[in-house]
Structure formats: structure tokens, C-alpha cells
Amino acid sequence: MPSSVMPTSTKGAGPRTPAAVSAVSALGLRKSYGDKTVLDGIDLRIPAGSVFALLGPNGAGKTTAVKILSTLVSADGGQAQVAGHDLAADAQAVRAAIGVTGQFSAVDGLITGEENMLLMADLHLLPRREGRRVAAELLERFGLTEAAKKPASTYSGGMKRRLDIAMTLVGSPRIIFLDEPTTGLDPRSRHNMWQIIRELVTGGVTVFLTTQYLDEADELADRIAVLNDGKIVAEGTPEELKRLVPGGHVRLRFTDPDAYRAAAAALPAGTPDEDSLTLQVPSDGSQRDLRTVLDRLDNARIEADELTVHTPDLDDVFFALTAAGGPTKEAVR
Ligand SMILES: Nc1ncnc2c1ncn2[C@@H]1O[C@H](COP(=O)(O)OP(=O)(O)OP(=O)(O)O)[C@@H](O)[C@H]1O
Ligand SMILES: [Mg+2]
């Protein structure tokens, strides 16, 4: 690892140094297959020691971006540095610094979990004894010790995914690419995987992940980029992205039509729905905003039967940005 690539911080853990070193930086990456443009000039900058999530609908080009940055396919244009090495000029040095867990498993089902791990140790040219030690340690860490001597084909989907990531870690990479690490996992396995990812980051590893799950990006990522139609249409912290879309509101529901009508009069900014006797009042969800709404109801002696606060989440952002005719990069940045 070059001495300049030092971990900075993890989400919510300590301050980020202002001059955070980039683990990945890319400028104008382009890739086409035939006449289909998959990546249409994407820029990325991922500080070392952080978690970056690339979001996007099916076919957006997430896997293509991962494959380019991990040297598995070459870009048609643009340039990128990974772990301080130029992708085009020094692919070998990039490979030595990274680990990749692909969207589809690299586990060989015919051999045992342990043999899969030892194979990786061999690929990384670890001495035999060191390879055994690393394999055993990782199998233990990923809860696979008991299953280690069984053929990997007998593992559940979650176990295979854990083995996949354990195999990626054999070479102690400083940057890991995880292409949809939790797709197909049950809620408990997903949370376990999140915990593993957080531990990696605490250890100073930079994580580049792609995901379809917005809560996953929200949970793990320091920064998120949304890829759509080959372009990054938004980039920022989860909070910054949520601020891009309107939609925060307080919803008041009534059973008494008179109370409903009185509330609609007291809160003229609200959108009334006569059929369901509900009133939707725009709100940023802040304490001050809620107090204003409640004060107005109190002053008019109105009691709502139900009050719910809706703040925009990443689902709202995703739908707003990846819908046909969504805002352009310039408009939302
Ligand atoms: N080797 C290839 N040859 C031709 N087309 C390809 C190749 N690899 C990817 N594509 C095309 O590039 C586009 C982007 O694919 P990619 O796998 O990067 O999308 P993705 O965002 O990872 O999608 P998903 O969410 O389904 O995994 C798709 O239209 C796909 O068909
Ligand atoms: Mg993919």
C-alpha cells in the first residue's frame, strides 16, 4: 500500500481529514458495447477509508463501472486512479491493492469452503503456512468454520456470499469492490453483511459497493452516486440526496367530517382529500414546523384521529432521479 493511502474515517466514526486521499478517482469514464453507450463519461472521487455506494436501476452500468475500476474490462475513454495507481498504465499495481466480489459468485461448488480459501491464498502467492492461517482466521470471522470441510455447493446463499467476501479478503486488499453484496440475502444475513462491511471500514478499508437497496446505501454509505442512462445524475451524502426531492409532509386523518373541514380551513397550505378525510400538509418534519401545524389545530380546537410525518427517503430520491425525464445532473447538483 502506498503510504499516501491512509484510512480517514468511517461513517459516524471520527472526523474526516480535510485533505482526504482518494482511493478511487475517475474522470470521464466511457464504455460502449456495440452501439450501446453504457457509461457516458462518469466522474468519481472516493476518499480512502470511506464507503461509496453506486445506485442505479438494472442495466444502468453499475457492474460495468466495477469491472472497469477493478481492471477486469478496459474503458473506451477517460482515466482513473485506483489506490494511487493509474488504471491504464499500472493495472498490475491496481490489482495488487484491491479485492473484488462480483455480482455472481466466484465460489467453486465442487470443492470445500476451506479449499476455496486456500486456492485464493495460492493465487496471492501466500506461503503455505501463512495461507492456512489466513484461511482459518477468515473462515472463523465469517462464521464458516463448522462448514469449512463441506463442499461449497451445499452452502446456503448467505453462506456462499460470506465465503465469496472472505475469499476477497485473503489478499488483505485496501480497497474492495462489492457488487450487490446482499442481493438475495434474508434480513438477518443482510444485517450481518452490513456489520462485516462496517468492520472492514473500521479497519481502514475503502468499500465501493453497488446496490439496489436504498436502505443499504443509507445505512452504510458516506457518499452515494446515482447512475442512470450512463450518467451520474446525483452524488452526495444520503442526507444531501434526500434534500433533493420534495415530498416531506404531515398527514392528518379524521373520522369526523366537520373536524376535517375545520382543519382544511385552518391549514390552507394542505392538500385535502375529501374521500379519505385526510389532509396532507407540506412539512420538513422539523420540530418547529410540526409545532406550527399542531398549534393551528389546537387554536381551532381540532383533534386529528391520526397524525403521521413523512420525510423523504432514498426511495423517493431514486424514483425521482431514475424516472424517465428526471432532473439532469446540472439541475440537481
Ligand atoms: N459484455 C457485454 N457485452 C454487451 N453488453 C453488455 C456487456 N456487459 C454489459 N452489457 C450491457 O451494458 C449495460 C449495463 O450492464 P451492467 O451489468 O453494467 O448493469 P448493472 O447496472 O450492473 O445492472 P444490474 O442491476 O442488472 O446488475 C446493459 O445494457 C448490459 O446489457
Ligand atoms: Mg450489475
Side-chain angles (χ1 to χ4, degrees):
M1 174 178 100
S3 59
S4 60
V5 183
M6 290 299 289
T8 52
S9 75
T10 68
K11 189 172 181 165
R16 181 183 298 290
T17 52
V21 178
S22 292
V24 176
S25 65
L27 209 59
L29 282 187
R30 307 179 64 82
K31 180 79 188 174
S32 302
Y33 286 110
D35 56 7
K36 180 173 172 49
T37 304
V38 179
L39 297 179
D40 194 9
I42 66 166
D43 302 341
L44 297 171
R45 208 190 74 76
I46 305 172
S50 68
V51 180
F52 175 83
L54 189 60
L55 284 179
N58 290 136
K62 302 180 297 296
T63 296
T64 304
V66 166
K67 284 187 172 164
I68 290 174
L69 292 170
S70 57
T71 80
L72 295 173
V73 301
S74 53
D76 300 337
Q79 46 165 305
Q81 277 81 40
V82 176
H85 306 288
D86 189 81
L87 210 56
D90 205 354
Q92 200 53 42
V94 171
R95 272 181 223 129
I98 64 169
V100 191
T101 304
Q103 184 169 4
F104 304 102
S105 179
V107 170
D108 182 343
L110 294 177
I111 57 176
T112 69
E114 185 179 46
E115 285 161 348
N116 270 286
M117 293 293 286
L118 294 174
L119 201 62
M120 288 307 286
D122 282 348
L123 283 175
H124 284 279
L125 306 176
L126 294 186
R128 201 164 192 82
R129 180 193 284 248
E130 173 74 356
R132 292 206 162 273
R133 189 188 62 75
V134 170
E137 206 175 277
L138 284 167
L139 286 166
E140 175 72 32
R141 184 161 147 209
F142 284 79
L144 292 167
T145 304
E146 224 170 277
K149 306 257 187 245
K150 297 191 182 120
S153 58
T154 65
Y155 289 13
S156 73
M159 289 163 79
K160 271 193 200 131
R161 208 67 192 133
R162 293 209 300 277
L163 179 59
D164 233 347
I165 296 191
M167 285 160 65
T168 303
L169 296 182
V170 167
S172 308
R174 304 306 300 156
I175 302 173
I176 65 170
F177 293 89
L178 302 171
D179 197 358
E180 302 202 18
T182 67
T183 297
L185 297 189
D186 71 29
R188 186 185 298 275
S189 303
R190 282 184 73 209
H191 281 86
N192 289 343
M193 191 59 78
W194 291 355
Q195 194 51 38
I196 288 168
I197 292 171
R198 286 197 197 94
E199 284 167 20
L200 288 171
V201 178
T202 305
V205 172
T206 306
V207 176
F208 182 123
L209 66 92
T210 75
T211 182
Q212 305 278 355
Y213 300 117
L214 298 131
D215 58 334
E216 180 159 295
D218 204 359
E219 191 72 33
L220 294 174
D222 294 293
R223 296 189 78 78
I224 298 173
V226 183
L227 191 60
N228 193 43
D229 269 346
K231 290 200 164 72
I232 290 185
V233 291
E235 204 271 343
T237 64
E239 298 315 315
E240 283 168 350
L241 291 191
K242 284 179 212 166
R243 264 185 252 129
L244 292 176
V245 293
H249 61 261
V250 174
R251 187 169 173 276
L252 300 164
R253 194 179 57 78
F254 300 88
T255 43
D256 174 7
D258 288 338
Y260 160 75
R261 274 189 285 274
L267 295 161
T271 309
D273 181 354
E274 189 85 42
D275 293 337
S276 59
L277 297 185
T278 58
L279 189 62
Q280 197 164 302
V281 186
S283 163
D284 62 8
S286 68
Q287 190 176 338
R288 177 195 291 255
D289 217 56
L290 290 178
R291 184 171 297 128
T292 307
V293 171
L294 294 176
D295 282 349
R296 290 210 188 167
L297 293 173
D298 278 349
N299 290 340
R301 298 181 186 286
I302 307 164
E303 200 144 323
D305 291 276
E306 192 183 285
L307 180 151
T308 47
V309 180
H310 177 89
T311 45
D313 57 19
L314 280 179
D315 281 326
D316 298 319
V317 179
F318 191 78
F319 288 125
L321 294 175
T322 63
T328 63
K329 182 176 178 176
E330 285 66 35
V332 297
R333 266 204 157 166

